[in-house]
């Protein structure tokens, strides 16, 4: 297909150790330009590992990850990664942290849009958790990526911050940045996703791959939202029952 | 700015000074064992008036600064290299560990044979004393930079230069400064030892000459000046650190009392190698 951005082909990842841990097994899917894919699954199912493979921070034990046909074997600025924790350098100011990718055109405008304009000269320890996350997101965006990988971006945030950031993520995606988000929270997934990949418990594999036919902004009272929610919960229960009878 | 010494810190010195004065006044100090406080004060005035104190102090300071600066210029880059490239560690660690065990004073006879009785041998001893705390703390500082920050550098494709400037140097800076402070302390100790063994000037020499003339007051003057200089130089380092590392202010606070808390020398036993 023409707009295929990412291809994940039969990817497995095993971490050697005592015991060996199989994080992912037989993962196979494609991401088309303009999608907002949410990878939904329980803790420890290898979601973060998958993002790290796509970011080029890890290599698969078998299988291939490709970006525009090229194998991903190291990080590239085209695929940006929002780590779960902000990972700002404490010795650099907010502005310097934002510009770490080397791209700084549009820094001030972006800072203004994300409510960071007054903090550009602050150090990370002077920021709140939500603010630090925004700086981290701004840093990822300034690299001018085509794909944005989001590792539990809404976890551990208070409600107003969470809602604000959720809207920010949707508007980033609307501006044409293909987004892949990892979460274990069904409501977070349903709020933003254009497509959900439901993962099994470890070793992670895809058990359902669904496209959501809903517009943004979404309401939790919407009929289709509730139907999807029930459907995905049923699928999750099926997996749990299956696991327990094994 | 660095915090001043809290008032509690003055209590013991003041009690000591007052007792010293009172005991001397009551004629309870045998001047053959320890001088009275006013004798020490008079010795300070006497030595200062003849410019002897200034000369000895200046000579000692120069020796320390040359040896210490050389140790910094060589120790910091080597520490950065070893911390950055852990694959080098197995090659160098055993040798460095071995050399570290040999007290700087033990090198003095050999250094005198190599470099003569002049300044070079003293500089070499001070270099040797300061090198290990500086190098090892720098290495430790680089090793302690969290792996998560290295991933950020990978992700944003830092060049070698950018990694050095944005990650390695600032990330290890608190440890480097701790290393420099410890190195400076070691320098002083080694210096005095070197000057006591083979010198014709300097504070160590002052103490040794006083000893041979049984001038207890001048011996104590030498010791006091060494202690005061050590505290003053360390204070200067703490001040530089707080100016240079603004981000550590609220995180850990760079104060003189933090000296060596995370440092390499804390767990080592070579602290007294200088004397």
């Amino acid at each position: 297909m023409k707009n295929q951005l990412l291809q994940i082909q039969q990817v497995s990842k095993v971490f050697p150790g005592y015991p060996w841990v199989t994080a992912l097994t037989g993962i196979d899917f494609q991401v088309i330009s303009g999608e907002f894919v949410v990878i939904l699954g329980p803790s420890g199912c290898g979601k973060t590992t998958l993002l790290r493979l796509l970011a080029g921070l890890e290599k698969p034990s078998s299988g291939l990850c490709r970006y525009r046909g090229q194998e991903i074997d190291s990080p590239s600025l085209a695929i940006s990664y929002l780590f779960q924790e902000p990972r700002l350098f404490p010795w650099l100011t907010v502005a310097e942290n934002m510009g770490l990718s080397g791209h700084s055109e549009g820094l001030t405008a972006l800072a203004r849009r994300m409510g960071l304009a007054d903090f550009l000269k602050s150090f990370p320890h002077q920021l709140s958790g939500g603010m630090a996350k925004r700086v981290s997101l701004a840093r990822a965006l300034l690299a001018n990526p085509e794909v944005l990988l989001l590792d539990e971006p809404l976890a551990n945030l208070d409600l107003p911050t969470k809602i604000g950031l959720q809207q920010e993520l949707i508007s980033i995606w609307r501006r044409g940045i293909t987004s892949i988000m990892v979460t274990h929270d069904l409501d977070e997934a349903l709020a933003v996703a254009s497509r959900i990949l439901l993962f099994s418990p470890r070793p992670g594999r895809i058990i359902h791959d669904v496209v959501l036919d809903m517009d943004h902004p979404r309401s939790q009272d919407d009929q289709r939202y509730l139907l999807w929610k029930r459907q995905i919960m049923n699928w999750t229960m099926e997996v749990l029952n299956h696991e327990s009878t094994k | 700015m660095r915090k001043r010494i809290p008032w509690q810190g003055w209590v013991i010195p003041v009690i000591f000074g007052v007792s010293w004065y009172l005991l001397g006044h009551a004629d309870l100090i045998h001047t053959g064992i320890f001088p009275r406080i006013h004798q020490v004060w008079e010795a300070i005035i006497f030595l200062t008036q003849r410019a002897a104190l200034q000369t000895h102090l200046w000579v000692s300071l120069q020796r320390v600064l040359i040896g210490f600066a050389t140790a910094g210029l060589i120790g910091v880059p080597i520490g950065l290299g070893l911390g950055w490239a852990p694959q080098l560690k197995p090659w160098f660690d055993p040798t460095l560990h071995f050399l570290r065990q040999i007290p700087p004073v033990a090198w003095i006879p050999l250094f005198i044979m190599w470099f003569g009785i002049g300044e070079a041998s003293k500089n070499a001893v001070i270099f040797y004393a300061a090198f290990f705390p500086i190098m090892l703390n720098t290495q430790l500082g680089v090793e302690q930079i969290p792996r998560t920050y290295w991933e950020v550098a990978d992700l944003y494709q830092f060049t070698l230069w950018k990694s050095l400037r944005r990650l390695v140097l600032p990330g290890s800076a608190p440890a480097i400064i701790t290393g420099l402070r410890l190195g400076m302390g070691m320098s002083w100790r080694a210096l005095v030892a070197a000057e006591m063994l083979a010198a014709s000037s300097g504070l160590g020499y002052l103490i040794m000459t006083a000893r041979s003339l049984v001038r207890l007051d001048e011996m104590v003057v030498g010791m006091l000046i060494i202690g005061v200089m050590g505290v003053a130089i360390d204070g200067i380092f703490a001040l530089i650190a707080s100016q240079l590392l603004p981000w550590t202010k609220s995180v850990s606070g760079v104060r003189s009392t933090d000296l060596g808390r995370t440092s390499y020398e804390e767990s080592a036993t070579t602290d007294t190698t200088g004397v």
Side-chain angles (χ1 to χ4, degrees):
Chain A
M1 202 186 286
K2 199 175 154 202
N3 281 335
Q4 238 170 45
L5 262 192
L6 295 166
Q7 295 165 291
I8 292 85
Q9 299 170 324
Q10 289 303 321
V11 162
S12 297
K13 179 71 184 174
V14 179
F15 292 103
Y18 303 98
W20 285 42
V21 175
T22 307
L24 295 165
T25 172
I27 304 292
D28 203 295
F29 66 98
Q30 283 80 44
V31 176
I32 294 162
S33 181
E35 281 190 306
F36 199 136
V37 179
V38 172
I39 295 166
L40 179 67
S43 299
C45 76
K47 305 179 299 263
T48 297
T49 305
L50 180 58
L51 281 198
R52 292 174 60 82
L53 292 170
L54 293 175
L57 292 171
E58 306 258 7
K59 292 201 170 81
S61 307
S62 66
L64 266 185
C65 296
R66 294 176 191 272
Y67 166 70
R68 292 194 171 277
Q70 296 280 320
E71 185 186 345
I72 300 171
D73 53 5
S74 63
S76 93
L77 292 185
I79 303 174
S80 220
Y81 191 152
L82 182 71
F83 293 103
Q84 193 170 350
E85 68 286 359
R87 295 198 187 182
L88 304 177
F89 289 178
W91 45 84
L92 298 182
T93 62
V94 165
E96 287 166 336
N97 267 295
M98 282 172 71
L100 277 184
S101 64
H103 296 231
S104 51
E105 58 267 36
L107 190 149
T108 336
L110 184 67
R112 205 175 305 126
R113 208 185 69 220
M114 296 184 70
L116 298 169
D118 295 335
F119 297 90
L120 287 175
K121 290 196 175 107
S122 305
F123 283 99
H125 69 258
Q126 298 167 307
L127 304 175
S128 67
M131 202 67 97
K133 198 135 218 176
R134 280 170 184 278
V135 176
S136 178
L137 179 60
R139 179 178 70 186
L141 289 175
L142 275 173
N144 214 0
E146 194 171 13
V147 179
L148 185 58
L149 307 172
L150 304 157
D151 192 356
E152 303 264 10
L154 305 171
N156 302 322
L157 295 178
D158 61 85
L159 193 60
T161 313
K162 188 169 169 172
I163 293 170
L165 192 59
Q166 199 162 307
Q167 286 166 349
E168 186 69 47
L169 294 178
I170 293 171
S171 84
I172 289 164
W173 166 67
R174 283 215 169 115
R175 265 176 266 129
I177 297 178
T178 304
S179 303
I180 302 177
M181 176 173 120
V182 147
T183 182
H184 59 259
D185 186 307
L186 179 52
D187 282 313
E188 280 178 16
L190 286 169
V192 297
S194 70
R195 176 181 169 198
I196 291 182
L197 300 179
L198 185 63
F199 268 52
S200 70
R202 194 164 66 205
R205 62 202 154 73
I206 301 172
I207 47 178
H208 285 284
D209 179 351
V210 290
V211 174
L212 302 188
D213 46 351
M214 295 190 287
D215 294 327
H216 291 93
R218 294 170 181 171
S219 156
Q220 295 202 8
D221 307 322
D222 185 271
Q223 199 58 38
R224 272 177 304 173
Y225 184 100
L226 291 170
L227 282 172
W228 274 120
K229 189 168 179 175
R230 192 171 311 145
Q231 178 66 70
I232 292 171
M233 281 170 95
N234 285 342
W235 284 334
T236 310
M237 292 303 287
E238 274 171 31
V239 175
L240 285 178
N241 292 336
H242 182 70
E243 295 275 316
S244 58
T245 54
K246 252 202 299 201
Chain B
M1 284 289 286
R2 193 174 74 96
K3 280 185 194 161
R4 290 177 175 282
I5 297 173
W7 66 267
Q8 293 96 325
W10 292 104
V11 172
I12 292 174
V14 167
I15 290 177
F16 180 79
V18 170
S19 317
W20 190 3
Y21 171 77
L22 290 176
L23 287 172
H25 199 70
D27 214 9
L28 288 170
I29 296 177
H30 190 307
T31 48
I33 295 170
F34 201 70
R36 294 179 183 173
I37 195 166
H38 72 90
Q39 291 177 309
V40 172
W41 178 245
E42 279 159 16
I44 291 177
I45 307 234
F46 176 71
L47 289 170
T48 314
Q49 276 170 351
R50 288 195 314 165
L53 201 56
Q54 295 93 310
T55 314
H56 288 306
L57 179 61
W58 177 235
V59 167
S60 290
L61 260 180
Q62 271 179 309
R63 288 176 181 150
V64 163
L65 289 179
I66 292 172
F68 171 78
T70 319
L73 286 174
I74 296 174
V76 169
I78 292 181
L80 289 176
L82 288 181
W84 204 341
Q87 63 272 28
L88 295 178
K89 271 184 77 174
W91 291 86
F92 291 95
D93 257 10
T95 309
L96 290 169
H97 189 60
F98 168 78
L99 289 174
R100 195 168 64 75
Q101 302 303 323
I102 304 172
V105 263
W107 284 91
I108 292 177
L110 205 54
F111 284 161
I112 289 174
M113 294 197 59
W114 289 349
F115 306 119
I117 194 89
E119 293 305 298
S121 56
K122 276 141 214 123
N123 294 337
V125 174
I126 293 160
F127 168 84
Y128 194 89
F131 175 79
F132 289 100
I134 294 175
M135 194 276 289
L136 290 165
N137 275 289
T138 305
Q139 180 186 345
L140 190 77
V142 180
E143 285 168 356
Q144 282 176 339
I145 296 173
R147 203 176 61 89
T148 52
Y149 292 166
W150 287 102
E151 280 190 355
V152 172
D154 278 350
L155 197 67
Y156 295 114
Q157 303 183 313
F158 281 17
T159 57
L160 204 67
W161 170 239
K162 192 170 175 181
S163 299
L164 181 71
R165 209 164 47 90
R166 288 299 204 198
L167 179 60
V168 175
L169 271 180
S172 57
I176 293 177
I177 289 184
T178 303
L180 291 173
R181 286 167 72 175
L182 288 168
M184 182 50 97
M186 292 302 215
S187 297
W188 268 111
R189 296 172 203 199
L191 167 89
V192 175
E195 286 176 347
M196 285 176 137
L197 286 178
S200 52
S201 58
L203 294 169
Y205 170 78
L206 174 73
I207 295 174
M208 283 317 270
T209 345
R211 196 206 78 157
S212 50
L213 300 172
V214 204
R215 289 297 302 264
L216 278 80
D217 50 351
E218 291 188 7
M219 284 161 65
V220 173
V221 170
M223 290 163 68
L224 285 177
I225 299 294
I226 290 166
V228 168
M229 284 310 293
V231 171
I233 291 176
D234 195 61
I236 294 171
F237 267 103
L239 188 68
I240 294 172
S242 70
Q243 297 298 308
L244 221 58
L245 316 172
W247 71 91
T248 57
K249 264 186 211 160
S250 74
V251 184
S252 61
V254 179
R255 292 181 291 121
S256 59
T257 46
D258 289 340
L259 182 72
R261 183 167 296 161
T262 58
S263 76
Y264 162 79
E265 284 294 339
E266 189 79 341
S267 58
T269 49
T270 53
D271 205 43
T272 49
T273 47
V275 274

